Amino acid sequence: YLNPPPSQTLCSQYCPALYYGSNGHCLPCSNNCLNCVTPSGLCLDCLPTFYFHPKTQQCGVSCPADSFGNPSTFVCESKCNAGEYADPSRLCNKCSSKCLECEVEGTGSECTRCATGRFLLRSDCVELCGVSFYGDALTNTCVGKLDF
């Protein structure tokens, strides 16, 4: 392939990052693509800090409305993974280590299911349920004791 500027006179077997090969020439990938394929120039992965949307094979500063951004991988996903919650800007964030599942409420996350050895009390996962409650090991929740 004829390399892109400034070394247009040099030929190589492969095009460099940010370019793809077509008809013997290295052509630029679409916006924010790090690597792309011929002949369409569809993205394989994105420049750092840009999110890859697998359905469209495009890169952007955020994910489309039908997906959630994973800040660890910079890939747009159809839903957040287990142990994560979607914040108001549609980014997936890790739940507290006490939580098995959580959801966003206000400025932080609230547990909806607890990790083994913890019990859900309101929106927190505790090791001991406290006075007037006992831990139900089947549901991992704190249950109120009945007074007789």
Side-chain angles (χ1 to χ4, degrees):
Y1 293 102
L2 180 63
N3 277 309
S7 59
Q8 276 186 305
T9 57
L10 299 176
C11 290
S12 63
Q13 187 175 1
Y14 302 101
C15 291
L18 309 176
Y19 293 87
Y20 67 97
S22 180
N23 296 324
H25 294 276
C26 291
L27 302 173
C29 293
S30 61
N31 287 343
N32 310 316
C33 273
L34 180 61
N35 292 300
C36 55
V37 292
T38 59
S40 59
L42 293 176
C43 293
L44 296 174
D45 53 7
C46 304
L47 292 170
T49 72
F50 287 93
Y51 286 91
F52 177 69
H53 193 254
K55 287 181 188 173
T56 62
Q57 290 191 276
Q58 298 295 315
C59 300
V61 292
S62 62
C63 293
D66 67 344
S67 60
F68 300 90
N70 184 327
S72 302
T73 61
F74 284 93
V75 172
C76 298
E77 300 171 347
S78 60
K79 63 180 183 173
C80 293
N81 296 317
E84 296 178 338
Y85 67 95
D87 68 17
S89 60
R90 302 185 61 78
L91 292 178
C92 297
N93 294 281
K94 295 239 181 265
C95 296
S96 159
S97 60
K98 299 184 295 183
C99 305
L100 189 61
E101 293 177 3
C102 64
E103 60 188 28
V104 67
E105 277 299 324
T107 58
S109 68
E110 293 187 353
C111 299
T112 55
R113 285 186 57 209
C114 297
T116 303
R118 293 190 176 266
F119 302 97
L120 185 65
L121 180 63
R122 295 175 192 87
S123 61
D124 192 19
C125 290
V126 296
E127 290 180 353
L128 299 172
C129 291
V131 179
S132 301
F133 293 94
Y134 68 93
D136 183 331
L138 290 176
T139 62
N140 281 50
T141 58
C142 291
V143 179
K145 292 181 182 176
L146 297 175
D147 292 324
F148 292 101

